[in-house]
Amino acid sequence: MNLIAPPLSLYVHMPWCVKKCPYCDFNSHGVKGEPPPYATYVDALLADLDADLRDFGAAAHDRPIHSVFFGGGTPSLFAPELVERFLDGVRERLALPAGTEITLETNPGTVEHGRFDGYLAAGVNRLSFGIQSFDDDKLRRLGRIHSASEAEAAVKSAQDAGYGNINLDLMYALPQQTQEGALADVERAIALAPTHISHYQLTLEPNTAFAANPPPLPDDDHAWAMQEACEQRLAAAGYAQYEVSAYAQPDRRCAHNLNYWRFGDYLGIGAGAHGKVTDVQAGQVLRRWKTRHPKAYLTAPGEAGRIGGDGPVAVDELPFEYMLNALRLIDGVPMADFTERTGLPAERITPALAAARQRGWLTDDPGRLHTTALGQRFLNDVIGGFLD
């Protein structure tokens, strides 16, 4: 296959949180008893990075890092000094250009006053706050450990520390939520003037407490009405939707997530982290994921035991994998990117494209993969059409 290597990002998973939320299906582990071995974990992260660079060889070496994202769990449980130690280690191993977007997820209930200065000094230049709602009753139902006032105070504290690039995560279609309640959350988020807002629907994921004991959620029609109303309010406030759940002020789109959606490459470091690397020489797109449980991950730093699984993406699966990401973008992607990032000719997906266009799900632009408004509403069906 004639592949072209896309940008390479770095995802770093910090697996611990104060308490597991009942809706969460991420690889997160509540802190119980003794504090987690944070410093030891940072050492393991660097050993993991060394081993991935060794294993992927030329497919990963000598490629500048496009963005860094600390996800979790709750990365803000890690002291700024530990984050700085990790980033210094990255700079020793890879090119990390000045100004590279470096995001750290944080929850308002886990940040000590004054820590934002430390994260900024460590090199973190973008914060993502897991707010979810500004309604104390909804926060309680979601199992969050912060209040609405604490959320607002945390964001203002970060701004006072010098952060000018901040994302707020908000959920809608919460238990017994009305459209007025969803809009009220958006209004309070806008009042804080973040540069980016992630606004996504609460869904019941398998193997979560909510799935086992479902709360009363709005039906699909009410959820769709909430989404449309909130989308219009965000647009009026200057937050343009550029992805299914992402809204940004001009020039403030999340570089890291854009790289995912454009089928870019990323090294996944940490317990349960997933990575994707394009091996141009071998003509393969490689996937790798790490052992999920922190204890198992820490037993063999940098050794084979840290790997939960890996291997090339099957050629027949590449169209679906690509569309699963690219079609989330409101403006779509150039058709040429499909061939460059999968190595497959455009003819490979001609029947699926024709079927989607016939249903009014994709525009008729032959040079661009671009969903219509109807296609965005039925996005799962559109993407499913590319399954082999």
Side-chain angles (χ1 to χ4, degrees), residues 17-31 142-143 207-208 292:
C17 54
V18 173
K19 185 181 72 170
K20 182 85 169 179
C21 295
Y23 60 84
C24 179
D25 69 334
F26 296 146
N27 183 36
S28 59
H29 303 263
V31 175
L142 292 172
N207 303 315
T208 63
R292 287 178 59 85

Side-chain angles (χ1 to χ4, degrees), residues 316 319-320 323 327 349 352-353 356 362 369 382-388:
D316 290 344
F320 174 76
M323 298 300 174
L327 292 184
I349 56 172
L353 290 175
L362 293 177
L369 289 165
V382 182
I383 295 168
F386 293 90
L387 282 168
D388 187 64

